[in-house]
Amino acid sequence: MKATSARLLRLLSLLQTRKDWPGAELSDRLAVSPRTVRRDVERLRELGYPIQATMGTGGGYQLGAGATLPPLLLDDEEAVAVAVGLRTAAQGGVSGIEETSVRALAKLLQVLPSRLRRRVDALGSFTVPMPAAGPTVDSDTLTLVASACRDSEILRFDYESSDGTASRRIVEPHRLVARGRRWYLVAWDTARDDWRTFRVDRMEPLALTGPRVPPRDPPEQGVATYLAERMNVHMWPHKARVRLLVSAEEAQRRIGSDYGRVEPVDEHSCVLLCAGDSLFYMACYLGMLDLDMEVEEPDELREHMARLSARFQRASSGAGPFRVD
């Protein structure tokens, strides 16, 4: 009986880690016959787990959705990750789930082994949340968009861009990306025939009505890199080209990708493609790079840097208009 119970738990754990499991592969993993796997599946069904079976050569098993939520098996690291995630969700960022996150966290902490509870409690006791201003995402919107990504279902929504322009968009959703307190959707815009990025807090999705489409290959550079490039360069009104007098490898090592895209020129220089909502603030940030550089374009950025240079020169010489004796 003990061996059977352990095998059932192992089978359930496997079914929860992957969408589809061929019967032969489950037999190999559990070191039992296909007949035993079928009997164990029936036992799990009797316990309320909605396990679907497909027959034939490529047949197998799938843990589906049921009328009620059955118990889930989590290993130690998964349990701690869920607890930390619930604690974070209770502090804001996604509107409408704070109270339910607290309730779910209380239930989880009640059954956690003491060794895991100490780890979660330490994170809660010795970290201080810093409330941050900014938009929150409606949890229903986030769930609907995530479902559309999962099911490769056409998504229609009303969207307000950064300049306040409203539009109706029809996209093939690919991935949700969280950056700080903001959520972004990376999707294929069917009208523009290209990849686009949307802030979820500016979206008002319509009800999902399909159709479903085959999943597209992601952007060539990867979703995270694509989003970083969009946020660092393409999403801002002011753009600039700055020659950095170091190699591209040295520039990447010293500034990373937060300032923009670095393109190599030769072994002694590279070009930084950067953007922002203000050329003046762009000049300030570039001045903090502690690198020799030449502004290639635009001329207005050169003018801002020249004014800052003169101001710093006056400040360092003590000859400025605000000199105090």
Side-chain angles (χ1 to χ4, degrees), residues 1-16 30 36-47 49 51 73:
M1 180 63 69
K2 183 177 180 181
T4 301
S5 299
R7 192 176 63 247
L8 286 176
L9 291 174
R10 172 65 175 156
L11 172 59
L12 181 58
S13 178
L14 290 173
L15 291 171
Q16 289 177 346
L30 298 172
T36 300
V37 171
R38 290 194 294 271
R39 286 203 305 264
D40 288 347
V41 166
E42 286 302 322
R43 292 189 181 99
L44 288 177
R45 286 172 175 163
E46 292 172 1
L47 295 174
Y49 292 94
I51 301 174
L73 290 179

mmCIF file of all heavy atoms in Angstrom, residues 1-16 30 36-47 49 51 73:
data_model
loop_
_atom_site.group_PDB
_atom_site.id
_atom_site.type_symbol
_atom_site.label_atom_id
_atom_site.label_comp_id
_atom_site.label_asym_id
_atom_site.label_seq_id
_atom_site.Cartn_x
_atom_site.Cartn_y
_atom_site.Cartn_z
ATOM 1 N N MET A 1 0.825 -1.206 0.000
ATOM 2 C CA MET A 1 0.000 0.000 0.000
ATOM 3 C C MET A 1 0.861 1.260 0.000
ATOM 4 O O MET A 1 0.592 2.224 -0.706
ATOM 5 C CB MET A 1 -0.938 0.004 1.220
ATOM 6 C CG MET A 1 -1.850 1.236 1.293
ATOM 7 S SD MET A 1 -2.975 1.337 -0.120
ATOM 8 C CE MET A 1 -4.037 -0.054 0.237
ATOM 9 N N LYS A 2 1.958 1.232 0.810
ATOM 10 C CA LYS A 2 2.842 2.388 0.865
ATOM 11 C C LYS A 2 3.489 2.632 -0.484
ATOM 12 O O LYS A 2 3.610 3.769 -0.949
ATOM 13 C CB LYS A 2 3.899 2.182 1.941
ATOM 14 C CG LYS A 2 4.828 3.367 2.112
ATOM 15 C CD LYS A 2 5.812 3.123 3.241
ATOM 16 C CE LYS A 2 6.744 4.310 3.417
ATOM 17 N NZ LYS A 2 7.728 4.086 4.505
ATOM 18 N N ALA A 3 3.926 1.549 -1.153
ATOM 19 C CA ALA A 3 4.537 1.680 -2.467
ATOM 20 C C ALA A 3 3.544 2.218 -3.482
ATOM 21 O O ALA A 3 3.891 3.056 -4.331
ATOM 22 C CB ALA A 3 5.095 0.337 -2.918
ATOM 23 N N THR A 4 2.313 1.742 -3.410
ATOM 24 C CA THR A 4 1.287 2.225 -4.340
ATOM 25 C C THR A 4 1.015 3.703 -4.144
ATOM 26 O O THR A 4 0.907 4.467 -5.104
ATOM 27 C CB THR A 4 -0.013 1.417 -4.158
ATOM 28 O OG1 THR A 4 0.258 0.030 -4.396
ATOM 29 C CG2 THR A 4 -1.080 1.909 -5.114
ATOM 30 N N SER A 5 0.890 4.149 -2.896
ATOM 31 C CA SER A 5 0.637 5.559 -2.610
ATOM 32 C C SER A 5 1.784 6.428 -3.098
ATOM 33 O O SER A 5 1.571 7.507 -3.674
ATOM 34 C CB SER A 5 0.435 5.753 -1.105
ATOM 35 O OG SER A 5 -0.678 5.017 -0.649
ATOM 36 N N ALA A 6 3.007 5.965 -2.874
ATOM 37 C CA ALA A 6 4.165 6.733 -3.340
ATOM 38 C C ALA A 6 4.174 6.835 -4.859
ATOM 39 O O ALA A 6 4.516 7.883 -5.429
ATOM 40 C CB ALA A 6 5.454 6.084 -2.836
ATOM 41 N N ARG A 7 3.789 5.742 -5.520
ATOM 42 C CA ARG A 7 3.766 5.753 -6.977
ATOM 43 C C ARG A 7 2.678 6.690 -7.495
ATOM 44 O O ARG A 7 2.862 7.396 -8.492
ATOM 45 C CB ARG A 7 3.542 4.339 -7.502
ATOM 46 C CG ARG A 7 3.795 4.209 -9.004
ATOM 47 C CD ARG A 7 3.665 2.783 -9.493
ATOM 48 N NE ARG A 7 2.314 2.276 -9.311
ATOM 49 C CZ ARG A 7 1.992 1.294 -8.465
ATOM 50 N NH1 ARG A 7 2.915 0.730 -7.713
ATOM 51 N NH2 ARG A 7 0.735 0.882 -8.366
ATOM 52 N N LEU A 8 1.528 6.728 -6.831
ATOM 53 C CA LEU A 8 0.463 7.651 -7.217
ATOM 54 C C LEU A 8 0.924 9.104 -7.109
ATOM 55 O O LEU A 8 0.642 9.932 -7.985
ATOM 56 C CB LEU A 8 -0.776 7.428 -6.353
ATOM 57 C CG LEU A 8 -1.612 6.174 -6.648
ATOM 58 C CD1 LEU A 8 -2.745 6.051 -5.640
ATOM 59 C CD2 LEU A 8 -2.160 6.214 -8.066
ATOM 60 N N LEU A 9 1.624 9.411 -6.022
ATOM 61 C CA LEU A 9 2.129 10.771 -5.860
ATOM 62 C C LEU A 9 3.148 11.103 -6.942
ATOM 63 O O LEU A 9 3.178 12.220 -7.472
ATOM 64 C CB LEU A 9 2.746 10.945 -4.470
ATOM 65 C CG LEU A 9 1.773 10.923 -3.298
ATOM 66 C CD1 LEU A 9 2.520 10.963 -1.977
ATOM 67 C CD2 LEU A 9 0.789 12.089 -3.388
ATOM 68 N N ARG A 10 4.000 10.143 -7.267
ATOM 69 C CA ARG A 10 4.978 10.360 -8.321
ATOM 70 C C ARG A 10 4.295 10.561 -9.665
ATOM 71 O O ARG A 10 4.673 11.451 -10.449
ATOM 72 C CB ARG A 10 5.917 9.148 -8.380
ATOM 73 C CG ARG A 10 6.886 9.127 -9.542
ATOM 74 C CD ARG A 10 7.869 10.249 -9.473
ATOM 75 N NE ARG A 10 8.859 10.137 -10.531
ATOM 76 C CZ ARG A 10 9.547 11.149 -11.023
ATOM 77 N NH1 ARG A 10 9.363 12.365 -10.539
ATOM 78 N NH2 ARG A 10 10.434 10.958 -11.969
ATOM 79 N N LEU A 11 3.261 9.756 -9.951
ATOM 80 C CA LEU A 11 2.519 9.903 -11.197
ATOM 81 C C LEU A 11 1.845 11.275 -11.267
ATOM 82 O O LEU A 11 1.896 11.958 -12.294
ATOM 83 C CB LEU A 11 1.478 8.788 -11.311
ATOM 84 C CG LEU A 11 0.473 8.892 -12.472
ATOM 85 C CD1 LEU A 11 1.203 8.918 -13.814
ATOM 86 C CD2 LEU A 11 -0.529 7.737 -12.412
ATOM 87 N N LEU A 12 1.239 11.684 -10.167
ATOM 88 C CA LEU A 12 0.575 12.986 -10.136
ATOM 89 C C LEU A 12 1.581 14.112 -10.351
ATOM 90 O O LEU A 12 1.314 15.089 -11.069
ATOM 91 C CB LEU A 12 -0.149 13.166 -8.799
ATOM 92 C CG LEU A 12 -0.909 14.474 -8.607
ATOM 93 C CD1 LEU A 12 -1.961 14.673 -9.697
ATOM 94 C CD2 LEU A 12 -1.566 14.506 -7.233
ATOM 95 N N SER A 13 2.739 13.982 -9.740
ATOM 96 C CA SER A 13 3.775 15.004 -9.911
ATOM 97 C C SER A 13 4.205 15.111 -11.365
ATOM 98 O O SER A 13 4.379 16.212 -11.902
ATOM 99 C CB SER A 13 4.982 14.681 -9.021
ATOM 100 O OG SER A 13 6.008 15.629 -9.192
ATOM 101 N N LEU A 14 4.362 13.976 -12.035
ATOM 102 C CA LEU A 14 4.738 13.997 -13.448
ATOM 103 C C LEU A 14 3.660 14.651 -14.301
ATOM 104 O O LEU A 14 3.951 15.463 -15.186
ATOM 105 C CB LEU A 14 4.997 12.570 -13.929
ATOM 106 C CG LEU A 14 6.248 11.877 -13.390
ATOM 107 C CD1 LEU A 14 6.272 10.412 -13.827
ATOM 108 C CD2 LEU A 14 7.511 12.590 -13.882
ATOM 109 N N LEU A 15 2.403 14.311 -14.049
ATOM 110 C CA LEU A 15 1.303 14.876 -14.839
ATOM 111 C C LEU A 15 1.201 16.389 -14.664
ATOM 112 O O LEU A 15 0.725 17.097 -15.567
ATOM 113 C CB LEU A 15 -0.020 14.218 -14.443
ATOM 114 C CG LEU A 15 -0.185 12.745 -14.850
ATOM 115 C CD1 LEU A 15 -1.437 12.155 -14.221
ATOM 116 C CD2 LEU A 15 -0.227 12.603 -16.363
ATOM 117 N N GLN A 16 1.637 16.908 -13.526
ATOM 118 C CA GLN A 16 1.553 18.343 -13.284
ATOM 119 C C GLN A 16 2.721 19.115 -13.892
ATOM 120 O O GLN A 16 2.677 20.335 -13.965
ATOM 121 C CB GLN A 16 1.490 18.613 -11.777
ATOM 122 C CG GLN A 16 0.167 18.198 -11.149
ATOM 123 C CD GLN A 16 0.154 18.402 -9.642
ATOM 124 O OE1 GLN A 16 1.187 18.609 -9.014
ATOM 125 N NE2 GLN A 16 -1.031 18.338 -9.056
ATOM 126 N N LEU A 30 8.049 5.408 -14.229
ATOM 127 C CA LEU A 30 7.587 4.803 -12.981
ATOM 128 C C LEU A 30 8.067 3.369 -12.806
ATOM 129 O O LEU A 30 7.854 2.762 -11.738
ATOM 130 C CB LEU A 30 6.053 4.829 -12.931
ATOM 131 C CG LEU A 30 5.417 6.221 -12.948
ATOM 132 C CD1 LEU A 30 3.903 6.110 -13.103
ATOM 133 C CD2 LEU A 30 5.746 6.995 -11.677
ATOM 134 N N THR A 36 -0.437 -1.097 -15.180
ATOM 135 C CA THR A 36 -0.383 -0.474 -13.856
ATOM 136 C C THR A 36 -0.606 1.032 -13.961
ATOM 137 O O THR A 36 -1.268 1.633 -13.115
ATOM 138 C CB THR A 36 0.974 -0.763 -13.195
ATOM 139 O OG1 THR A 36 1.139 -2.177 -13.066
ATOM 140 C CG2 THR A 36 1.053 -0.118 -11.825
ATOM 141 N N VAL A 37 -0.055 1.639 -15.009
ATOM 142 C CA VAL A 37 -0.280 3.074 -15.205
ATOM 143 C C VAL A 37 -1.770 3.348 -15.376
ATOM 144 O O VAL A 37 -2.314 4.299 -14.792
ATOM 145 C CB VAL A 37 0.512 3.586 -16.426
ATOM 146 C CG1 VAL A 37 0.106 5.024 -16.772
ATOM 147 C CG2 VAL A 37 1.999 3.519 -16.165
ATOM 148 N N ARG A 38 -2.452 2.512 -16.166
ATOM 149 C CA ARG A 38 -3.890 2.712 -16.366
ATOM 150 C C ARG A 38 -4.649 2.588 -15.053
ATOM 151 O O ARG A 38 -5.572 3.371 -14.774
ATOM 152 C CB ARG A 38 -4.414 1.713 -17.404
ATOM 153 C CG ARG A 38 -3.944 1.975 -18.822
ATOM 154 C CD ARG A 38 -4.749 1.171 -19.830
ATOM 155 N NE ARG A 38 -4.532 -0.271 -19.677
ATOM 156 C CZ ARG A 38 -3.588 -0.955 -20.288
ATOM 157 N NH1 ARG A 38 -2.751 -0.322 -21.120
ATOM 158 N NH2 ARG A 38 -3.457 -2.265 -20.130
ATOM 159 N N ARG A 39 -4.278 1.609 -14.222
ATOM 160 C CA ARG A 39 -4.953 1.452 -12.925
ATOM 161 C C ARG A 39 -4.688 2.661 -12.033
ATOM 162 O O ARG A 39 -5.589 3.135 -11.340
ATOM 163 C CB ARG A 39 -4.483 0.169 -12.245
ATOM 164 C CG ARG A 39 -5.034 -1.105 -12.856
ATOM 165 C CD ARG A 39 -4.999 -2.247 -11.847
ATOM 166 N NE ARG A 39 -3.654 -2.441 -11.308
ATOM 167 C CZ ARG A 39 -2.779 -3.334 -11.762
ATOM 168 N NH1 ARG A 39 -3.106 -4.115 -12.781
ATOM 169 N NH2 ARG A 39 -1.585 -3.467 -11.201
ATOM 170 N N ASP A 40 -3.465 3.146 -12.028
ATOM 171 C CA ASP A 40 -3.136 4.308 -11.188
ATOM 172 C C ASP A 40 -3.876 5.557 -11.659
ATOM 173 O O ASP A 40 -4.305 6.380 -10.839
ATOM 174 C CB ASP A 40 -1.625 4.558 -11.208
ATOM 175 C CG ASP A 40 -0.865 3.509 -10.416
ATOM 176 O OD1 ASP A 40 -1.510 2.746 -9.670
ATOM 177 O OD2 ASP A 40 0.381 3.457 -10.543
ATOM 178 N N VAL A 41 -4.019 5.698 -12.954
ATOM 179 C CA VAL A 41 -4.780 6.831 -13.483
ATOM 180 C C VAL A 41 -6.226 6.762 -13.004
ATOM 181 O O VAL A 41 -6.830 7.781 -12.621
ATOM 182 C CB VAL A 41 -4.700 6.866 -15.020
ATOM 183 C CG1 VAL A 41 -5.748 7.822 -15.605
ATOM 184 C CG2 VAL A 41 -3.305 7.290 -15.477
ATOM 185 N N GLU A 42 -6.806 5.564 -13.007
ATOM 186 C CA GLU A 42 -8.185 5.405 -12.528
ATOM 187 C C GLU A 42 -8.286 5.779 -11.047
ATOM 188 O O GLU A 42 -9.271 6.399 -10.622
ATOM 189 C CB GLU A 42 -8.662 3.974 -12.758
ATOM 190 C CG GLU A 42 -8.978 3.642 -14.208
ATOM 191 C CD GLU A 42 -10.049 4.557 -14.778
ATOM 192 O OE1 GLU A 42 -11.004 4.906 -14.034
ATOM 193 O OE2 GLU A 42 -9.927 4.950 -15.949
ATOM 194 N N ARG A 43 -7.299 5.402 -10.251
ATOM 195 C CA ARG A 43 -7.315 5.765 -8.825
ATOM 196 C C ARG A 43 -7.276 7.291 -8.657
ATOM 197 O O ARG A 43 -7.991 7.846 -7.804
ATOM 198 C CB ARG A 43 -6.136 5.119 -8.101
ATOM 199 C CG ARG A 43 -6.206 3.598 -7.996
ATOM 200 C CD ARG A 43 -5.116 3.082 -7.072
ATOM 201 N NE ARG A 43 -5.137 1.631 -6.957
ATOM 202 C CZ ARG A 43 -4.339 0.808 -7.625
ATOM 203 N NH1 ARG A 43 -3.424 1.315 -8.472
ATOM 204 N NH2 ARG A 43 -4.414 -0.505 -7.465
ATOM 205 N N LEU A 44 -6.464 7.948 -9.450
ATOM 206 C CA LEU A 44 -6.396 9.419 -9.354
ATOM 207 C C LEU A 44 -7.718 10.049 -9.794
ATOM 208 O O LEU A 44 -8.155 11.053 -9.219
ATOM 209 C CB LEU A 44 -5.249 9.943 -10.216
ATOM 210 C CG LEU A 44 -3.824 9.664 -9.692
ATOM 211 C CD1 LEU A 44 -2.778 10.164 -10.678
ATOM 212 C CD2 LEU A 44 -3.610 10.317 -8.320
ATOM 213 N N ARG A 45 -8.361 9.470 -10.793
ATOM 214 C CA ARG A 45 -9.669 9.989 -11.208
ATOM 215 C C ARG A 45 -10.684 9.859 -10.085
ATOM 216 O O ARG A 45 -11.522 10.754 -9.875
ATOM 217 C CB ARG A 45 -10.154 9.241 -12.444
ATOM 218 C CG ARG A 45 -9.422 9.630 -13.733
ATOM 219 C CD ARG A 45 -9.809 8.712 -14.871
ATOM 220 N NE ARG A 45 -9.217 9.133 -16.143
ATOM 221 C CZ ARG A 45 -9.126 8.363 -17.214
ATOM 222 N NH1 ARG A 45 -9.621 7.106 -17.154
ATOM 223 N NH2 ARG A 45 -8.586 8.804 -18.326
ATOM 224 N N GLU A 46 -10.635 8.739 -9.367
ATOM 225 C CA GLU A 46 -11.553 8.543 -8.239
ATOM 226 C C GLU A 46 -11.312 9.578 -7.139
ATOM 227 O O GLU A 46 -12.233 9.912 -6.378
ATOM 228 C CB GLU A 46 -11.385 7.128 -7.673
ATOM 229 C CG GLU A 46 -11.859 6.029 -8.616
ATOM 230 C CD GLU A 46 -11.490 4.645 -8.106
ATOM 231 O OE1 GLU A 46 -10.878 4.571 -7.016
ATOM 232 O OE2 GLU A 46 -11.801 3.649 -8.785
ATOM 233 N N LEU A 47 -10.084 10.103 -7.056
ATOM 234 C CA LEU A 47 -9.757 11.130 -6.061
ATOM 235 C C LEU A 47 -10.096 12.545 -6.536
ATOM 236 O O LEU A 47 -9.875 13.516 -5.809
ATOM 237 C CB LEU A 47 -8.269 11.064 -5.704
ATOM 238 C CG LEU A 47 -7.819 9.785 -4.992
ATOM 239 C CD1 LEU A 47 -6.302 9.783 -4.838
ATOM 240 C CD2 LEU A 47 -8.490 9.688 -3.612
ATOM 241 N N TYR A 49 -9.095 13.937 -9.698
ATOM 242 C CA TYR A 49 -8.188 14.536 -10.675
ATOM 243 C C TYR A 49 -8.693 14.238 -12.082
ATOM 244 O O TYR A 49 -8.815 13.073 -12.470
ATOM 245 C CB TYR A 49 -6.774 13.982 -10.501
ATOM 246 C CG TYR A 49 -6.131 14.417 -9.205
ATOM 247 C CD1 TYR A 49 -6.199 13.608 -8.075
ATOM 248 C CD2 TYR A 49 -5.471 15.636 -9.109
ATOM 249 C CE1 TYR A 49 -5.621 14.001 -6.870
ATOM 250 C CE2 TYR A 49 -4.883 16.039 -7.917
ATOM 251 C CZ TYR A 49 -4.958 15.214 -6.806
ATOM 252 O OH TYR A 49 -4.389 15.606 -5.616
ATOM 253 N N ILE A 51 -8.149 13.462 -15.328
ATOM 254 C CA ILE A 51 -7.096 13.010 -16.233
ATOM 255 C C ILE A 51 -7.744 12.493 -17.509
ATOM 256 O O ILE A 51 -8.585 11.595 -17.472
ATOM 257 C CB ILE A 51 -6.236 11.908 -15.585
ATOM 258 C CG1 ILE A 51 -5.600 12.435 -14.292
ATOM 259 C CG2 ILE A 51 -5.161 11.428 -16.549
ATOM 260 C CD1 ILE A 51 -4.857 11.378 -13.513
ATOM 261 N N LEU A 73 0.817 19.208 -6.070
ATOM 262 C CA LEU A 73 2.070 18.788 -5.456
ATOM 263 C C LEU A 73 3.156 19.791 -5.802
ATOM 264 O O LEU A 73 3.404 20.065 -6.974
ATOM 265 C CB LEU A 73 2.465 17.404 -5.965
ATOM 266 C CG LEU A 73 1.600 16.233 -5.498
ATOM 267 C CD1 LEU A 73 2.114 14.939 -6.103
ATOM 268 C CD2 LEU A 73 1.613 16.129 -3.979
#
